[in-house]
Amino acid sequence: MAHTQKLEMLERDDYLRFRLPEALKERFKLYCYLKGITMSDTVREMIEEVLKNEDLEKLLQEKLLQEKQRENSRDETDD
C-alpha cells in the first residue's frame, strides 16, 4: 500500500454535532452558499485557524495549574 494511501486511512473524517440558534445557522448557511463553499469546509478551516494560533502545551499547563489551585482551595476550606 502506498504511503499516501496509509495516511488517508489514518486521517478519516469524523463528525461533530453541536447546537446553534436557528437564525445563526441560516445566516452561516447563506454565507457559505454566497461564497461557494461548504459549511463543513468553512468550519474545518476555522478550527484549523484557531488551533494554528494556540500553544496547546501552554494551555494544558495553565489548565492543570488552575485545577491544582482549585483543589488546594477546596482542601483549605475542608479543614
Side-chain angles (χ1 to χ4, degrees), residues 32-46:
C32 292
Y33 170 76
L34 294 172
K35 296 286 269 185
I37 52 181
T38 68
M39 293 171 68
S40 291
D41 286 344
T42 305
V43 170
R44 189 177 302 111
E45 289 174 12
M46 292 169 145

Side-chain angles (χ1 to χ4, degrees), residues 49-65:
E49 185 68 25
V50 167
L51 293 176
K52 177 179 80 173
N53 295 320
E54 289 292 344
D55 180 350
L56 295 180
E57 182 66 31
K58 181 180 175 189
L59 290 173
L60 175 60
Q61 293 302 321
E62 290 171 356
K63 186 67 167 177
L64 291 172
L65 180 61

